[in-house]
Amino acid sequence: DSRKTMEINPSNTIIKELRNRVDADKTEKTVKDLVNLLFDTALLTSGFSLDEPNIFAARIHRNRLSSASALMTTRKRRWTRPRAR
C-alpha cells in the first residue's frame, strides 16, 4: 500500500475559491465533490488507481449536470425579455 501525499499551493486561484466556498457553506455538496474530484484526478495522473471508480464517475456526472444547469439558467436570464407593463 503506497502512501499518497497531495501538495497544494494555497495561493492558487482554484484553491482560494474552494476555500472561500467552504467557508461560506461547509455543507455544500458541490464543493465537497470538486475537492474530491481534484484529489482523485491527481491520483489518476500520478499513476494510481481509484478504489471506487464508480463514485468518481458519479461525481463527474453531477459536476457536469450542475455546470450545464447553471449555463442554461444564465442563458435563460440573458435571453428573457422584460415583461411589458
Side-chain angles (χ1 to χ4, degrees), residues 1-42:
D1 185 38
S2 299
R3 287 192 58 133
K4 300 166 186 80
T5 302
M6 180 175 170
E7 294 182 18
I8 59 170
N9 176 357
S11 300
N12 180 282
T13 306
I14 294 170
I15 300 301
K16 285 181 177 180
E17 181 60 27
L18 287 172
R19 179 63 185 193
N20 289 339
R21 289 184 182 195
V22 167
D23 289 343
D25 183 359
K26 293 185 183 353
T27 63
E28 185 184 354
K29 187 168 177 65
T30 303
V31 174
K32 186 176 180 181
D33 273 351
L34 288 172
V35 169
N36 283 310
L37 279 172
L38 183 64
F39 181 75
D40 289 345
T41 302

